[in-house]
Amino acid sequence: MLNYSFSLPTAIHFGAGVSCKAGSLAKELSASRVLIVADKGVISAGLTKAAEQSIKDEGLYCTYLDKVVPNPRDYHCQEGYEFAKSENIDCIVAVGGGSSMDTAKVIGTLLTHGGKPQDWCGSDKLLKPITPVIAIPTTAGTGSEVTPFAVVTDSETHVKLNIFDAKAAPKAALVDPAMLYGLPDHIMASTGIDALTHAVEAYTCKLAVPHTDAYAIYAVKLIADNLLKAIHDRTADACEGMMLGSTLAGIAFGYSDVAAVHCMAEALGGRYDLPHGVANAILLPTVTEFNVSAAPEKYADIARALGADTRGMSASDAAAACVPALREFCRSAGIPAMKDIPEINPDDFKDLAVAAEANVSTPSNPRTVTAADFEELFRKAYYEG
């Protein structure tokens, strides 16, 4: 018998131009001093202008933190917290990809809890809501605008840690498809496969429930229908489909879990500073092949959502069709082979496997997976693709 609860702490506003609501939402949150967190590239591209102007139009103080880097480290977040504290910040607007939103969430956590990021990493450790975060994604990938966690890399251990708590979720997400119009093709590709990975793992992991299943399988279809168009043609409709697919995938995995692909990708990212979307993309088909026997009906659903013709097939054969469908989709999106990424050293696979096994999401994988399995999966992904 089913027995679960489901709620969304984030209000979602979707549509072209919706980022101009940042100021009014900040005012509704009783903010007076707002920090915009974004990397220099996002700022120079003009993607923060609408939010900044709307904040100023409401008569609120506005300043910037632009020291955002991919895979943010603990000390980056600590430095951001010290700056926000000195500015008496009472609301944070995060504009960018997952790194900006993760940085903002960790800063918000420290503003209300003090200490250092590691003090609050884990499940349900927060004592109260973080300083309000309004999230404006500029990629269709991470889904961080609607997730209840923040990822931060421990600079000493090179391990990715998670603050996992509904009290860390953004108060509002302003999901604006127009943010994607100028995104470089390779970033659209890697972040799009990242979103697809979220949806696939959310749908098949052991913590999936009917509500997250509904979000996840619709996200797979939206991404399958729109990612290649968004990469090669960049139509408004394709951007809308991708931004919607990414946000739905974020809800799906944010309130179920991810699985072995992410466990391995986070190990790669922690060691090599590899972009998270690329790390997921190079592993997704190989790990899916390992997992299909554990959830054949669900992987068959994914194969059909990807456009595979499974008519007349058994559930196990339809599930197996998911693997070549994913390989072809990643290839068409221009994802590189794992062995073509120069940073990755096969001599590290044993250590990476140990790190992957220690990931909190390992138990959620649909098939039991050990360090030995992870090492074999790294090797298979690297040598066989």
Side-chain angles (χ1 to χ4, degrees):
M1 297 291 290
L2 285 172
N3 188 345
Y4 71 95
S5 59
F6 181 84
S7 62
L8 286 178
T10 304
I12 301 168
H13 304 260
F14 187 94
V18 76
S19 53
C20 67
K21 288 187 174 183
S24 61
L25 289 174
K27 194 167 187 178
E28 287 178 17
L29 293 167
S30 300
S32 60
R33 300 180 66 82
V34 180
L35 175 67
I36 296 178
V37 175
D39 66 49
K40 290 181 171 64
V42 165
I43 295 169
S44 65
L47 299 180
T48 60
K49 286 183 178 179
E52 177 186 0
Q53 189 59 52
S54 71
I55 292 165
K56 291 178 177 178
D57 286 347
E58 294 291 342
L60 308 179
Y61 173 80
C62 179
T63 189
Y64 274 86
L65 176 73
D66 63 2
K67 296 178 181 178
V68 176
V69 299
N71 301 312
R73 275 56 158 193
D74 45 11
Y75 59 85
H76 295 129
C77 298
Q78 194 75 36
E79 291 168 0
Y81 158 60
E82 297 295 345
F83 175 72
K85 184 179 178 182
S86 72
E87 290 285 323
N88 295 313
I89 295 302
D90 54 14
C91 181
I92 305 170
V93 175
V95 185
S99 297
S100 294
M101 290 184 272
D102 284 341
T103 300
K105 291 177 187 178
V106 178
I107 291 172
T109 297
L110 298 183
L111 283 172
T112 55
H113 290 75
K116 59 184 186 297
Q118 287 87 340
D119 294 336
W120 307 107
C121 289
S123 179
D124 296 321
K125 293 181 69 173
L126 301 186
L127 306 175
K128 53 188 173 181
I130 69 171
T131 297
V133 173
I134 298 169
I136 306 175
T138 59
T139 66
T142 71
S144 186
E145 67 274 11
V146 290
T147 63
F149 43 77
V151 182
V152 59
T153 300
D154 188 306
S155 56
E156 292 186 4
T157 65
H158 306 291
V159 171
K160 286 195 171 187
L161 305 173
N162 286 273
I163 296 172
F164 184 58
D165 196 306
K167 293 184 284 295
K171 287 291 186 184
L174 302 181
V175 187
D176 185 345
M179 290 288 185
L180 301 181
Y181 293 167
L183 196 67
D185 291 351
H186 72 282
I187 297 178
M188 178 70 81
S190 63
T191 56
I193 300 295
D194 187 20
L196 179 62
T197 306
H198 294 152
V200 169
E201 294 206 300
Y203 192 61
T204 57
C205 78
K206 290 179 180 176
L207 296 182
V209 297
H211 274 75
T212 58
D213 280 352
Y215 285 107
I217 198 65
Y218 185 33
V220 172
K221 187 171 188 335
L222 281 167
I223 294 164
D225 289 347
N226 289 286
L227 178 56
L228 299 183
K229 296 175 189 174
I231 294 169
H232 302 300
D233 298 328
R234 200 59 58 87
T235 66
D237 285 348
C239 289
E240 185 174 281
M242 279 307 302
M243 199 62 108
L244 183 57
S246 174
T247 296
L248 294 177
I251 295 170
F253 88 91
Y255 295 90
S256 59
D257 200 0
V258 288
V261 178
H262 271 75
C263 299
M264 297 171 71
E266 290 182 6
L268 288 174
R271 179 167 291 248
Y272 303 122
D273 203 23
L274 197 66
H276 181 64
V278 172
N280 274 328
I282 60 178
L283 295 164
L284 179 58
T286 300
V287 177
T288 298
E289 187 174 30
F290 175 84
N291 280 333
V292 287
S293 63
E297 292 185 357
K298 284 201 162 185
Y299 281 107
D301 289 341
I302 291 168
R304 286 187 283 271
L306 288 168
D309 184 357
T310 63
R311 289 173 295 180
M313 290 185 181
S314 65
S316 59
D317 287 344
C322 184
V323 178
L326 284 172
R327 290 193 194 283
E328 175 58 25
F329 194 67
C330 290
R331 187 200 63 77
S332 297
I335 299 301
M338 186 176 178
K339 64 184 176 184
D340 293 333
I341 298 175
E343 297 93 330
I344 297 178
N345 183 355
D347 291 342
D348 295 333
F349 287 166
K350 185 176 288 293
D351 290 341
L352 288 166
V354 171
E357 185 184 40
N359 192 292
V360 294
S361 294
T362 292
S364 295
N365 196 61
R367 178 178 170 185
T368 300
V369 56
T370 65
D373 293 323
F374 276 123
E375 184 176 358
E376 178 59 27
L377 287 168
F378 275 121
R379 295 191 184 284
K380 188 168 186 178
Y382 188 86
Y383 290 109
E384 298 179 25

